[in-house]
Structure formats: C-alpha cells, structure tokens
Amino acid sequence: MDIPDLFDGYGPVVGFDEMMARDLDGPGSSTVRDNYGTVHASFDKMGAEEIRLRADSLASSYLEQGVTFGVEGEERPFPLDIVPRLIEGADWDHVERGVRQRVLALEAFLADAYGPGELFNDGVVPRATVMTSPHFHRVVAGLEPANGVRVHVAGVDLIRDGNGDFRVLEDNVRVPSGVSYVMTNRRALSAALPEVFADHRIRPVSQYSQQLLAALRKAAPGGVHDPTVVVLTPGVYNSAYFEHTLLARTMGVELVEGRDLVCRSGRVMMRTTNGLEPVDVIYRRIDDEFLDPVQFRADSALGVPGIINAARAGHVTIANAVGNGVADDKLLYTYVPDLIRYYLSEEPILRNVDTWRMGEPEQRDEVLDRLDELVLKPVDGSGGKGIVIGPAASRTELDELRSKILLDPRAWIAQPVISLSTVPTLVEDGIRPRHVDLRPFAVHDGDDVFVLPGGLTRVALPEGELIVNSSRGGGSKDTWVLASPTDPDDAGEVAPTARMIAGTPQSAGPAIDGATHDLHVQEQEQQQARLHRPLASPPAVGPEQQDAGGDSC
C-alpha cells in the first residue's frame, strides 16, 4: 500500500464527517477541517505501513492485558482504533454545559419522584410513566441522601446528527461503566502516537478518579469528617471488574465484595484483619435487585443484608442511589426537555432525538403507518438489543413488531433514522469514515457537576453500520478535546512515559455493550452460583458478563 492510499477513497463524505468538510464548489469535493489538519498530515507522512505496524502493536498490547469482549462465548481483543477523535474546545464547552444541565434536571426529578411528587400534580410527567417503570423502587421513597445527591456519576450518550449538532441519545444514571476505557485508551494511544500527541494541547482525563473520590467523600453522612469509602463489586467474574479495580486503586480505597460487609445495629461494617470497621460511603457496582436481599431478591449472595435500612437510618451513603434506573427509562427520556424547563427554568442546551411515544394513540397510529421508515426501540433495552431499524427490516419482522407494539405500547418508542456523524477510522482498506457516538462522564458532588473532557467514543467498524456496540463489530477511540486558546497553559495533557504504560493492570476491560435488565439478572445469578464453588483462578472475562451496575457501555 502506497502512502496516499491511507486516505484514498475517503470521500465523498455523506452526512456530517468530523474530519472532512464538503466544499461548495461541487459534488464530491471536500477539504480537511482545521482541527484535523495536523493529524491528517502526520498520518499521511508516516504512511500506511508505519500506521499498520503501530496499530498492530496497539492491538497486541490490549490483547496481552486481557482487554477483551465476548461474542457467542468467544473472547476477542477489544478494538481500539489508532486514529483519535478530535473535538474542538468550543464544541466541548457546549457539550459540557448541556450534560451539566441534564444531570441537574435528573437530580431534581429523582428527588421529586421519590419525594413530594409535585411534577405529577403539575402534569409534567404522567404518574403512570414513572410508577410502571421496572426500576422505580418504592422501598426508597422518602429516603433523603446526605447531601441531596442521587446521581453521583452519570454517562450521557450523545450523537452528532447530519448538521453536526450534538443530540442526546439516552441517559445512564444507575452505574454507567466505561470510564476506565477513557483512561486506558488515553495511555495506550499517547504511547502509540507520541509525536502526534505532542503536536496538540489535549485536555486531560487523569483527574477523574480524584474528582469521583472528592464527590463520594462529600456525600458522607452528616457528622462524618473523615469518611471511609469503598467500591463494592460483584467479583472477578464480572466484565467490569477491571474498571472496579482501577477506580479503587486510583482513588486509594478498598475494593470489597458483599461478603466483606456486614450490617450491625443499622451500620455497615467492613471485615478487616483488625476486626469490623465502619463504612460511610459505598460506590456500588451491583444492580438494585441484588444489593439487599432483605428488600429485593432474597436469594442474592452478592449484596449486603440490611444495607437499605442502614442508608435510610442515615448511617451510610449508597452511590449511585438505589432507584435511579427510573431516570434511564427511554420513555422518561422523552420528558427530559420538559423536566429541564420545569425544574431549571431553562431551555435544553442539548436536544433529544425526535421521539414518538407508543403509549399515546395518535403518535402510535402515525408510527404504525410508517414502521418501515423509523427506528423502534424497547424502553428498557440497551446495547442495541431489541432495536428494529425499519428500512432494513423484513415484512415478517415488521409484522411481529406491530404485534408487540399493540400488545404493550408502553414498552416501545420510535425515532427517525439518523445518520450519525463519521470520523476517520483505520480499516482493512485504509482510513475510512465510520459512524460514532460519545459517552461523556459527569461527577456531581452536590455543589458542581464535573464533566470529564472527552468521554468514551464508540465506533461502528463495519461500513454503513449505525449500531456501535462491540457485539455488532464495534470498537472505541481515544477522544481528544482540544484545549481552547483561553485555557491555561497547563490545560494540555502530557504523553505518559513507558513506565506509566507498564503499570497498567493486566486484567480484563470493562463492559462494552449495554444489556437488558433480564440479562443483568441472569449474569448476576451466574455470579451467585460461582460464589458457592471454590475459585481455582480468575477466568478471562469479557463484556458478555455485563456490569452489575445495570448500565454498561
């Protein structure tokens, strides 16, 4: 492959491409956008052979670390594309403000829904929309967090539409995973492309763990001045175990399993070599239904009996709060713009994707007449599971879908087919445009919402594919937010040394795909079963065993 072949065949671009801008001179002509100019020139200078060698080395390093995902029982290395995704500082400022606004609105909604319920009385959201969600838990109604925070960590999934505008695809405020990929991708790619990295001022991602720790400490029960914080994991068989260990290690706190904790007199205690010690804040990565066998599933061996009562007594804080999943419901998603106006008296900064609610007869009738034109999504699904893309569906599939909608309208929403933005991606034929989404991560400490610059970019590697999940052949990218000219001189991140790379844990990576609630339950049942067998050695784990937090990437 000759050097020019890297970008030969990249255009003409369709829709909004983040590297190439279509010229007005005529069809088929395009120019490189300013923010990608240096990357384009650097890759062109290195040439195809050098880029391939570096990409192979990058893949080998991830394989050696055990960063894999599972497809039909087979473990495969998780693809990290060697071409970074670049976002202008001004564009990121817009995203940051929009994510912060959305987190604050969802915080207010959860406090209201589990408290006075004023939004129901004022007709903002129908009471049935919330009460019929499988993730609304009456057992925590009236439970007030110590500092009023329920959404300590949020992951807001975004896309860019055909005009390049950021749109919200869904909210994840149970226990969103994938932030460990943001950190490990940055270390890996800056080592693979040190000269390209050095040519840019890139906003850092290394501060996430300390931001999270500070937020968790501020969430401690009243009167606790030096709180003990722990990360609660289902154990080594969970696909996000790498993320759990990484966050615990970088925050400098204990990583515990349910069997390491016990409730005594309304307090949560941790078993240590020095006896029982009190725990004040628990960053849990176990789904609600498995967290407390006293209140939820009595057969759960993953959680801590009595932990909800301890939280209700004000002796421990659970982050994220139990019951947050009601805010992830895709039907509730359609009301978030109204929640922003209601609670914040502001217009939404980031728009939703246009959405039809199947529970409303007029909207349902319109959608049923246009099934072959729209995308239908189950409201409790994630990871691309259950989605039906009308233009690509057969007549039989559409007939089955019609029956499902009529049987349970509340379970479905409809959206138009949106052409996600494309970014340059290394594939077999060279560097070609591929569709992407973006999950920024936000940390709320009660006073402010910190949005990690960049977030997780997932890329659909097959040509034309719109679903970015790994089970559909997707991968990830390192997301570079370029520091604005007004940012301080230390706003740019320094490429890590080889010693820092060598210190990366040799363990499996976090979950890549989302999964439905039923799959979460099945995986945690399997986890429970393993607790009753002797552990010979940790297995290779992949994202088919989803994050027990209920929200995977």
Side-chain angles (χ1 to χ4, degrees), residues 183 185-206 478 480 491-501:
M183 295 186 281
N185 283 358
R186 176 61 51 85
R187 289 197 293 263
L189 199 66
S190 56
L193 298 171
E195 65 273 61
V196 182
F197 195 91
D199 286 338
H200 297 80
R201 293 181 66 231
I202 305 164
R203 293 184 59 181
V205 299
S206 55
D478 188 17
W480 294 3
E493 190 164 33
V494 178
T497 64
R499 183 175 180 180
M500 292 170 65
I501 300 299

PDB file of all heavy atoms in Angstrom, residues 183 185-206 478 480 491-501:
ATOM      1  N   MET A 183      -9.565   6.289  30.305  1.00  0.00           N
ATOM      2  CA  MET A 183      -8.226   6.458  30.871  1.00  0.00           C
ATOM      3  C   MET A 183      -7.196   5.535  30.214  1.00  0.00           C
ATOM      4  O   MET A 183      -6.090   5.961  29.884  1.00  0.00           O
ATOM      5  CB  MET A 183      -8.292   6.230  32.380  1.00  0.00           C
ATOM      6  CG  MET A 183      -9.125   7.280  33.101  1.00  0.00           C
ATOM      7  SD  MET A 183      -9.095   7.148  34.911  1.00  0.00           S
ATOM      8  CE  MET A 183     -10.250   5.801  35.171  1.00  0.00           C
ATOM      9  N   ASN A 185      -7.433   4.047  27.220  1.00  0.00           N
ATOM     10  CA  ASN A 185      -7.261   4.420  25.820  1.00  0.00           C
ATOM     11  C   ASN A 185      -6.294   5.586  25.681  1.00  0.00           C
ATOM     12  O   ASN A 185      -5.470   5.622  24.759  1.00  0.00           O
ATOM     13  CB  ASN A 185      -8.612   4.810  25.199  1.00  0.00           C
ATOM     14  CG  ASN A 185      -9.482   3.608  24.874  1.00  0.00           C
ATOM     15  OD1 ASN A 185      -9.082   2.463  25.065  1.00  0.00           O
ATOM     16  ND2 ASN A 185     -10.681   3.865  24.380  1.00  0.00           N
ATOM     17  N   ARG A 186      -6.393   6.547  26.594  1.00  0.00           N
ATOM     18  CA  ARG A 186      -5.500   7.702  26.523  1.00  0.00           C
ATOM     19  C   ARG A 186      -4.046   7.273  26.722  1.00  0.00           C
ATOM     20  O   ARG A 186      -3.148   7.710  25.994  1.00  0.00           O
ATOM     21  CB  ARG A 186      -5.907   8.735  27.582  1.00  0.00           C
ATOM     22  CG  ARG A 186      -4.995   9.965  27.687  1.00  0.00           C
ATOM     23  CD  ARG A 186      -4.937  10.760  26.390  1.00  0.00           C
ATOM     24  NE  ARG A 186      -6.258  11.077  25.872  1.00  0.00           N
ATOM     25  CZ  ARG A 186      -6.975  12.135  26.258  1.00  0.00           C
ATOM     26  NH1 ARG A 186      -6.481  12.982  27.163  1.00  0.00           N
ATOM     27  NH2 ARG A 186      -8.165  12.367  25.743  1.00  0.00           N
ATOM     28  N   ARG A 187      -3.805   6.436  27.718  1.00  0.00           N
ATOM     29  CA  ARG A 187      -2.431   5.976  27.944  1.00  0.00           C
ATOM     30  C   ARG A 187      -1.901   5.202  26.748  1.00  0.00           C
ATOM     31  O   ARG A 187      -0.766   5.406  26.311  1.00  0.00           O
ATOM     32  CB  ARG A 187      -2.381   5.103  29.203  1.00  0.00           C
ATOM     33  CG  ARG A 187      -2.554   5.854  30.500  1.00  0.00           C
ATOM     34  CD  ARG A 187      -2.087   5.035  31.679  1.00  0.00           C
ATOM     35  NE  ARG A 187      -2.938   3.873  31.910  1.00  0.00           N
ATOM     36  CZ  ARG A 187      -3.935   3.834  32.787  1.00  0.00           C
ATOM     37  NH1 ARG A 187      -4.221   4.926  33.485  1.00  0.00           N
ATOM     38  NH2 ARG A 187      -4.644   2.752  32.954  1.00  0.00           N
ATOM     39  N   ALA A 188      -2.728   4.315  26.200  1.00  0.00           N
ATOM     40  CA  ALA A 188      -2.272   3.470  25.099  1.00  0.00           C
ATOM     41  C   ALA A 188      -2.022   4.276  23.829  1.00  0.00           C
ATOM     42  O   ALA A 188      -0.997   4.093  23.154  1.00  0.00           O
ATOM     43  CB  ALA A 188      -3.295   2.371  24.844  1.00  0.00           C
ATOM     44  N   LEU A 189      -2.949   5.181  23.494  1.00  0.00           N
ATOM     45  CA  LEU A 189      -2.806   5.888  22.225  1.00  0.00           C
ATOM     46  C   LEU A 189      -1.707   6.935  22.279  1.00  0.00           C
ATOM     47  O   LEU A 189      -1.002   7.152  21.288  1.00  0.00           O
ATOM     48  CB  LEU A 189      -4.129   6.542  21.831  1.00  0.00           C
ATOM     49  CG  LEU A 189      -4.210   6.893  20.333  1.00  0.00           C
ATOM     50  CD1 LEU A 189      -4.212   5.623  19.496  1.00  0.00           C
ATOM     51  CD2 LEU A 189      -5.432   7.731  20.017  1.00  0.00           C
ATOM     52  N   SER A 190      -1.526   7.581  23.415  1.00  0.00           N
ATOM     53  CA  SER A 190      -0.456   8.575  23.502  1.00  0.00           C
ATOM     54  C   SER A 190       0.908   7.906  23.441  1.00  0.00           C
ATOM     55  O   SER A 190       1.888   8.533  23.014  1.00  0.00           O
ATOM     56  CB  SER A 190      -0.593   9.404  24.791  1.00  0.00           C
ATOM     57  OG  SER A 190      -0.621   8.571  25.929  1.00  0.00           O
ATOM     58  N   ALA A 191       0.975   6.631  23.842  1.00  0.00           N
ATOM     59  CA  ALA A 191       2.229   5.888  23.704  1.00  0.00           C
ATOM     60  C   ALA A 191       2.427   5.421  22.272  1.00  0.00           C
ATOM     61  O   ALA A 191       3.567   5.349  21.785  1.00  0.00           O
ATOM     62  CB  ALA A 191       2.236   4.690  24.649  1.00  0.00           C
ATOM     63  N   ALA A 192       1.329   5.115  21.572  1.00  0.00           N
ATOM     64  CA  ALA A 192       1.429   4.654  20.191  1.00  0.00           C
ATOM     65  C   ALA A 192       1.715   5.791  19.221  1.00  0.00           C
ATOM     66  O   ALA A 192       2.349   5.595  18.179  1.00  0.00           O
ATOM     67  CB  ALA A 192       0.135   3.943  19.792  1.00  0.00           C
ATOM     68  N   LEU A 193       1.239   7.007  19.556  1.00  0.00           N
ATOM     69  CA  LEU A 193       1.415   8.167  18.673  1.00  0.00           C
ATOM     70  C   LEU A 193       2.014   9.338  19.445  1.00  0.00           C
ATOM     71  O   LEU A 193       1.416  10.412  19.524  1.00  0.00           O
ATOM     72  CB  LEU A 193       0.070   8.581  18.075  1.00  0.00           C
ATOM     73  CG  LEU A 193      -0.664   7.575  17.194  1.00  0.00           C
ATOM     74  CD1 LEU A 193      -2.068   8.072  16.877  1.00  0.00           C
ATOM     75  CD2 LEU A 193       0.117   7.323  15.901  1.00  0.00           C
ATOM     76  N   PRO A 194       3.186   9.176  20.036  1.00  0.00           N
ATOM     77  CA  PRO A 194       3.724  10.258  20.882  1.00  0.00           C
ATOM     78  C   PRO A 194       3.959  11.566  20.133  1.00  0.00           C
ATOM     79  O   PRO A 194       3.717  12.646  20.670  1.00  0.00           O
ATOM     80  CB  PRO A 194       5.039   9.672  21.406  1.00  0.00           C
ATOM     81  CG  PRO A 194       5.411   8.610  20.422  1.00  0.00           C
ATOM     82  CD  PRO A 194       4.108   8.039  19.939  1.00  0.00           C
ATOM     83  N   GLU A 195       4.403  11.474  18.869  1.00  0.00           N
ATOM     84  CA  GLU A 195       4.683  12.698  18.126  1.00  0.00           C
ATOM     85  C   GLU A 195       3.396  13.425  17.739  1.00  0.00           C
ATOM     86  O   GLU A 195       3.341  14.665  17.738  1.00  0.00           O
ATOM     87  CB  GLU A 195       5.526  12.408  16.885  1.00  0.00           C
ATOM     88  CG  GLU A 195       4.856  11.556  15.815  1.00  0.00           C
ATOM     89  CD  GLU A 195       5.005  10.075  16.024  1.00  0.00           C
ATOM     90  OE1 GLU A 195       4.533   9.582  17.073  1.00  0.00           O
ATOM     91  OE2 GLU A 195       5.541   9.399  15.121  1.00  0.00           O
ATOM     92  N   VAL A 196       2.345  12.676  17.427  1.00  0.00           N
ATOM     93  CA  VAL A 196       1.064  13.300  17.104  1.00  0.00           C
ATOM     94  C   VAL A 196       0.452  13.911  18.363  1.00  0.00           C
ATOM     95  O   VAL A 196      -0.086  15.019  18.338  1.00  0.00           O
ATOM     96  CB  VAL A 196       0.097  12.269  16.482  1.00  0.00           C
ATOM     97  CG1 VAL A 196      -1.226  12.933  16.097  1.00  0.00           C
ATOM     98  CG2 VAL A 196       0.738  11.620  15.255  1.00  0.00           C
ATOM     99  N   PHE A 197       0.555  13.181  19.467  1.00  0.00           N
ATOM    100  CA  PHE A 197       0.039  13.672  20.743  1.00  0.00           C
ATOM    101  C   PHE A 197       0.729  14.974  21.128  1.00  0.00           C
ATOM    102  O   PHE A 197       0.087  15.919  21.604  1.00  0.00           O
ATOM    103  CB  PHE A 197       0.262  12.603  21.814  1.00  0.00           C
ATOM    104  CG  PHE A 197      -0.530  12.810  23.074  1.00  0.00           C
ATOM    105  CD1 PHE A 197      -1.790  12.243  23.228  1.00  0.00           C
ATOM    106  CD2 PHE A 197      -0.019  13.569  24.105  1.00  0.00           C
ATOM    107  CE1 PHE A 197      -2.530  12.434  24.388  1.00  0.00           C
ATOM    108  CE2 PHE A 197      -0.742  13.774  25.275  1.00  0.00           C
ATOM    109  CZ  PHE A 197      -2.005  13.195  25.413  1.00  0.00           C
ATOM    110  N   ALA A 198       2.028  15.029  20.920  1.00  0.00           N
ATOM    111  CA  ALA A 198       2.804  16.206  21.322  1.00  0.00           C
ATOM    112  C   ALA A 198       2.469  17.437  20.500  1.00  0.00           C
ATOM    113  O   ALA A 198       2.726  18.568  20.937  1.00  0.00           O
ATOM    114  CB  ALA A 198       4.298  15.897  21.211  1.00  0.00           C
ATOM    115  N   ASP A 199       1.878  17.243  19.322  1.00  0.00           N
ATOM    116  CA  ASP A 199       1.543  18.366  18.450  1.00  0.00           C
ATOM    117  C   ASP A 199       0.216  19.029  18.816  1.00  0.00           C
ATOM    118  O   ASP A 199      -0.204  19.976  18.142  1.00  0.00           O
ATOM    119  CB  ASP A 199       1.477  17.901  16.989  1.00  0.00           C
ATOM    120  CG  ASP A 199       2.861  17.648  16.402  1.00  0.00           C
ATOM    121  OD1 ASP A 199       3.831  18.215  16.941  1.00  0.00           O
ATOM    122  OD2 ASP A 199       2.961  16.880  15.429  1.00  0.00           O
ATOM    123  N   HIS A 200      -0.467  18.517  19.857  1.00  0.00           N
ATOM    124  CA  HIS A 200      -1.771  19.048  20.240  1.00  0.00           C
ATOM    125  C   HIS A 200      -1.802  19.375  21.735  1.00  0.00           C
ATOM    126  O   HIS A 200      -1.101  18.747  22.525  1.00  0.00           O
ATOM    127  CB  HIS A 200      -2.884  18.038  19.944  1.00  0.00           C
ATOM    128  CG  HIS A 200      -3.053  17.715  18.493  1.00  0.00           C
ATOM    129  ND1 HIS A 200      -2.232  16.819  17.836  1.00  0.00           N
ATOM    130  CD2 HIS A 200      -3.951  18.169  17.572  1.00  0.00           C
ATOM    131  CE1 HIS A 200      -2.618  16.727  16.571  1.00  0.00           C
ATOM    132  NE2 HIS A 200      -3.658  17.531  16.390  1.00  0.00           N
ATOM    133  N   ARG A 201      -2.596  20.360  22.097  1.00  0.00           N
ATOM    134  CA  ARG A 201      -2.904  20.626  23.506  1.00  0.00           C
ATOM    135  C   ARG A 201      -4.236  19.944  23.808  1.00  0.00           C
ATOM    136  O   ARG A 201      -5.288  20.402  23.381  1.00  0.00           O
ATOM    137  CB  ARG A 201      -2.975  22.126  23.792  1.00  0.00           C
ATOM    138  CG  ARG A 201      -1.645  22.836  23.668  1.00  0.00           C
ATOM    139  CD  ARG A 201      -1.783  24.322  23.991  1.00  0.00           C
ATOM    140  NE  ARG A 201      -2.121  24.536  25.389  1.00  0.00           N
ATOM    141  CZ  ARG A 201      -3.129  25.297  25.811  1.00  0.00           C
ATOM    142  NH1 ARG A 201      -3.938  25.876  24.940  1.00  0.00           N
ATOM    143  NH2 ARG A 201      -3.363  25.472  27.098  1.00  0.00           N
ATOM    144  N   ILE A 202      -4.155  18.827  24.519  1.00  0.00           N
ATOM    145  CA  ILE A 202      -5.318  17.976  24.743  1.00  0.00           C
ATOM    146  C   ILE A 202      -5.709  18.042  26.205  1.00  0.00           C
ATOM    147  O   ILE A 202      -4.858  17.873  27.094  1.00  0.00           O
ATOM    148  CB  ILE A 202      -5.004  16.512  24.338  1.00  0.00           C
ATOM    149  CG1 ILE A 202      -4.512  16.483  22.891  1.00  0.00           C
ATOM    150  CG2 ILE A 202      -6.220  15.624  24.532  1.00  0.00           C
ATOM    151  CD1 ILE A 202      -3.816  15.184  22.530  1.00  0.00           C
ATOM    152  N   ARG A 203      -6.974  18.280  26.471  1.00  0.00           N
ATOM    153  CA  ARG A 203      -7.414  18.376  27.854  1.00  0.00           C
ATOM    154  C   ARG A 203      -7.306  17.010  28.534  1.00  0.00           C
ATOM    155  O   ARG A 203      -7.645  15.982  27.947  1.00  0.00           O
ATOM    156  CB  ARG A 203      -8.839  18.920  27.920  1.00  0.00           C
ATOM    157  CG  ARG A 203      -8.925  20.376  27.465  1.00  0.00           C
ATOM    158  CD  ARG A 203     -10.316  20.945  27.608  1.00  0.00           C
ATOM    159  NE  ARG A 203     -10.781  20.899  28.990  1.00  0.00           N
ATOM    160  CZ  ARG A 203     -11.987  21.321  29.374  1.00  0.00           C
ATOM    161  NH1 ARG A 203     -12.830  21.806  28.470  1.00  0.00           N
ATOM    162  NH2 ARG A 203     -12.355  21.258  30.640  1.00  0.00           N
ATOM    163  N   PRO A 204      -6.828  16.973  29.771  1.00  0.00           N
ATOM    164  CA  PRO A 204      -6.503  15.701  30.431  1.00  0.00           C
ATOM    165  C   PRO A 204      -7.739  14.962  30.931  1.00  0.00           C
ATOM    166  O   PRO A 204      -8.797  15.544  31.165  1.00  0.00           O
ATOM    167  CB  PRO A 204      -5.626  16.134  31.605  1.00  0.00           C
ATOM    168  CG  PRO A 204      -6.087  17.527  31.916  1.00  0.00           C
ATOM    169  CD  PRO A 204      -6.461  18.139  30.592  1.00  0.00           C
ATOM    170  N   VAL A 205      -7.565  13.638  31.100  1.00  0.00           N
ATOM    171  CA  VAL A 205      -8.612  12.790  31.673  1.00  0.00           C
ATOM    172  C   VAL A 205      -8.157  12.132  32.967  1.00  0.00           C
ATOM    173  O   VAL A 205      -8.917  11.407  33.599  1.00  0.00           O
ATOM    174  CB  VAL A 205      -9.050  11.699  30.663  1.00  0.00           C
ATOM    175  CG1 VAL A 205      -9.620  12.328  29.409  1.00  0.00           C
ATOM    176  CG2 VAL A 205      -7.886  10.769  30.318  1.00  0.00           C
ATOM    177  N   SER A 206      -6.922  12.386  33.352  1.00  0.00           N
ATOM    178  CA  SER A 206      -6.330  11.692  34.501  1.00  0.00           C
ATOM    179  C   SER A 206      -6.919  12.108  35.842  1.00  0.00           C
ATOM    180  O   SER A 206      -6.708  11.430  36.852  1.00  0.00           O
ATOM    181  CB  SER A 206      -4.815  11.921  34.522  1.00  0.00           C
ATOM    182  OG  SER A 206      -4.515  13.315  34.499  1.00  0.00           O
ATOM    183  N   ASP A 478      -9.845   6.936  21.306  1.00  0.00           N
ATOM    184  CA  ASP A 478      -9.452   7.941  22.281  1.00  0.00           C
ATOM    185  C   ASP A 478     -10.004   9.276  21.807  1.00  0.00           C
ATOM    186  O   ASP A 478      -9.838   9.652  20.641  1.00  0.00           O
ATOM    187  CB  ASP A 478      -7.925   8.000  22.398  1.00  0.00           C
ATOM    188  CG  ASP A 478      -7.465   8.884  23.535  1.00  0.00           C
ATOM    189  OD1 ASP A 478      -8.295   9.179  24.419  1.00  0.00           O
ATOM    190  OD2 ASP A 478      -6.288   9.273  23.540  1.00  0.00           O
ATOM    191  N   TRP A 480     -10.013  13.197  21.940  1.00  0.00           N
ATOM    192  CA  TRP A 480      -9.168  14.328  22.295  1.00  0.00           C
ATOM    193  C   TRP A 480      -9.983  15.617  22.250  1.00  0.00           C
ATOM    194  O   TRP A 480     -10.444  16.041  21.189  1.00  0.00           O
ATOM    195  CB  TRP A 480      -8.002  14.462  21.323  1.00  0.00           C
ATOM    196  CG  TRP A 480      -7.009  13.326  21.381  1.00  0.00           C
ATOM    197  CD1 TRP A 480      -7.083  12.208  22.143  1.00  0.00           C
ATOM    198  CD2 TRP A 480      -5.804  13.222  20.612  1.00  0.00           C
ATOM    199  NE1 TRP A 480      -6.003  11.403  21.919  1.00  0.00           N
ATOM    200  CE2 TRP A 480      -5.186  11.996  20.980  1.00  0.00           C
ATOM    201  CE3 TRP A 480      -5.181  14.019  19.664  1.00  0.00           C
ATOM    202  CZ2 TRP A 480      -3.991  11.562  20.423  1.00  0.00           C
ATOM    203  CZ3 TRP A 480      -3.984  13.591  19.102  1.00  0.00           C
ATOM    204  CH2 TRP A 480      -3.393  12.385  19.483  1.00  0.00           C
ATOM    205  N   ALA A 491      -3.384  23.301  30.678  1.00  0.00           N
ATOM    206  CA  ALA A 491      -4.613  22.578  30.344  1.00  0.00           C
ATOM    207  C   ALA A 491      -4.352  21.361  29.472  1.00  0.00           C
ATOM    208  O   ALA A 491      -5.147  20.445  29.412  1.00  0.00           O
ATOM    209  CB  ALA A 491      -5.601  23.506  29.638  1.00  0.00           C
ATOM    210  N   GLY A 492      -3.243  21.361  28.748  1.00  0.00           N
ATOM    211  CA  GLY A 492      -2.936  20.230  27.887  1.00  0.00           C
ATOM    212  C   GLY A 492      -2.320  19.087  28.657  1.00  0.00           C
ATOM    213  O   GLY A 492      -1.571  19.285  29.613  1.00  0.00           O
ATOM    214  N   GLU A 493      -2.601  17.866  28.204  1.00  0.00           N
ATOM    215  CA  GLU A 493      -2.088  16.682  28.872  1.00  0.00           C
ATOM    216  C   GLU A 493      -0.742  16.293  28.286  1.00  0.00           C
ATOM    217  O   GLU A 493      -0.491  16.439  27.086  1.00  0.00           O
ATOM    218  CB  GLU A 493      -3.078  15.519  28.723  1.00  0.00           C
ATOM    219  CG  GLU A 493      -2.740  14.318  29.581  1.00  0.00           C
ATOM    220  CD  GLU A 493      -3.931  13.385  29.685  1.00  0.00           C
ATOM    221  OE1 GLU A 493      -4.702  13.285  28.721  1.00  0.00           O
ATOM    222  OE2 GLU A 493      -4.080  12.768  30.739  1.00  0.00           O
ATOM    223  N   VAL A 494       0.154  15.763  29.121  1.00  0.00           N
ATOM    224  CA  VAL A 494       1.468  15.316  28.686  1.00  0.00           C
ATOM    225  C   VAL A 494       1.408  13.832  28.389  1.00  0.00           C
ATOM    226  O   VAL A 494       0.795  13.063  29.128  1.00  0.00           O
ATOM    227  CB  VAL A 494       2.533  15.595  29.772  1.00  0.00           C
ATOM    228  CG1 VAL A 494       3.891  15.078  29.330  1.00  0.00           C
ATOM    229  CG2 VAL A 494       2.596  17.082  30.061  1.00  0.00           C
ATOM    230  N   ALA A 495       2.046  13.420  27.300  1.00  0.00           N
ATOM    231  CA  ALA A 495       2.049  11.999  26.961  1.00  0.00           C
ATOM    232  C   ALA A 495       2.698  11.199  28.075  1.00  0.00           C
ATOM    233  O   ALA A 495       3.725  11.597  28.623  1.00  0.00           O
ATOM    234  CB  ALA A 495       2.800  11.777  25.651  1.00  0.00           C
ATOM    235  N   PRO A 496       2.110  10.038  28.449  1.00  0.00           N
ATOM    236  CA  PRO A 496       2.667   9.243  29.539  1.00  0.00           C
ATOM    237  C   PRO A 496       3.973   8.575  29.139  1.00  0.00           C
ATOM    238  O   PRO A 496       4.259   8.383  27.963  1.00  0.00           O
ATOM    239  CB  PRO A 496       1.582   8.201  29.798  1.00  0.00           C
ATOM    240  CG  PRO A 496       0.889   8.058  28.490  1.00  0.00           C
ATOM    241  CD  PRO A 496       0.920   9.430  27.869  1.00  0.00           C
ATOM    242  N   THR A 497       4.760   8.242  30.137  1.00  0.00           N
ATOM    243  CA  THR A 497       6.027   7.573  29.887  1.00  0.00           C
ATOM    244  C   THR A 497       5.799   6.083  29.727  1.00  0.00           C
ATOM    245  O   THR A 497       4.750   5.537  30.051  1.00  0.00           O
ATOM    246  CB  THR A 497       6.979   7.793  31.065  1.00  0.00           C
ATOM    247  OG1 THR A 497       6.414   7.176  32.231  1.00  0.00           O
ATOM    248  CG2 THR A 497       7.189   9.268  31.329  1.00  0.00           C
ATOM    249  N   ALA A 498       6.813   5.374  29.243  1.00  0.00           N
ATOM    250  CA  ALA A 498       6.717   3.924  29.093  1.00  0.00           C
ATOM    251  C   ALA A 498       6.500   3.257  30.440  1.00  0.00           C
ATOM    252  O   ALA A 498       5.818   2.241  30.553  1.00  0.00           O
ATOM    253  CB  ALA A 498       7.996   3.391  28.438  1.00  0.00           C
ATOM    254  N   ARG A 499       7.059   3.840  31.502  1.00  0.00           N
ATOM    255  CA  ARG A 499       6.883   3.271  32.834  1.00  0.00           C
ATOM    256  C   ARG A 499       5.421   3.333  33.265  1.00  0.00           C
ATOM    257  O   ARG A 499       4.901   2.416  33.887  1.00  0.00           O
ATOM    258  CB  ARG A 499       7.755   4.035  33.828  1.00  0.00           C
ATOM    259  CG  ARG A 499       7.709   3.468  35.244  1.00  0.00           C
ATOM    260  CD  ARG A 499       8.694   4.211  36.140  1.00  0.00           C
ATOM    261  NE  ARG A 499       8.675   3.687  37.481  1.00  0.00           N
ATOM    262  CZ  ARG A 499       9.444   4.152  38.460  1.00  0.00           C
ATOM    263  NH1 ARG A 499      10.290   5.141  38.208  1.00  0.00           N
ATOM    264  NH2 ARG A 499       9.373   3.635  39.666  1.00  0.00           N
ATOM    265  N   MET A 500       4.725   4.443  32.905  1.00  0.00           N
ATOM    266  CA  MET A 500       3.310   4.550  33.235  1.00  0.00           C
ATOM    267  C   MET A 500       2.507   3.506  32.487  1.00  0.00           C
ATOM    268  O   MET A 500       1.587   2.901  33.031  1.00  0.00           O
ATOM    269  CB  MET A 500       2.800   5.949  32.897  1.00  0.00           C
ATOM    270  CG  MET A 500       3.365   7.048  33.775  1.00  0.00           C
ATOM    271  SD  MET A 500       2.960   8.673  33.150  1.00  0.00           S
ATOM    272  CE  MET A 500       1.185   8.675  33.309  1.00  0.00           C
ATOM    273  N   ILE A 501       2.862   3.262  31.214  1.00  0.00           N
ATOM    274  CA  ILE A 501       2.146   2.257  30.436  1.00  0.00           C
ATOM    275  C   ILE A 501       2.354   0.885  31.039  1.00  0.00           C
ATOM    276  O   ILE A 501       1.441   0.081  31.159  1.00  0.00           O
ATOM    277  CB  ILE A 501       2.625   2.270  28.973  1.00  0.00           C
ATOM    278  CG1 ILE A 501       2.368   3.639  28.349  1.00  0.00           C
ATOM    279  CG2 ILE A 501       1.943   1.173  28.169  1.00  0.00           C
ATOM    280  CD1 ILE A 501       0.930   4.028  28.316  1.00  0.00           C
TER     281      ILE A 501
END
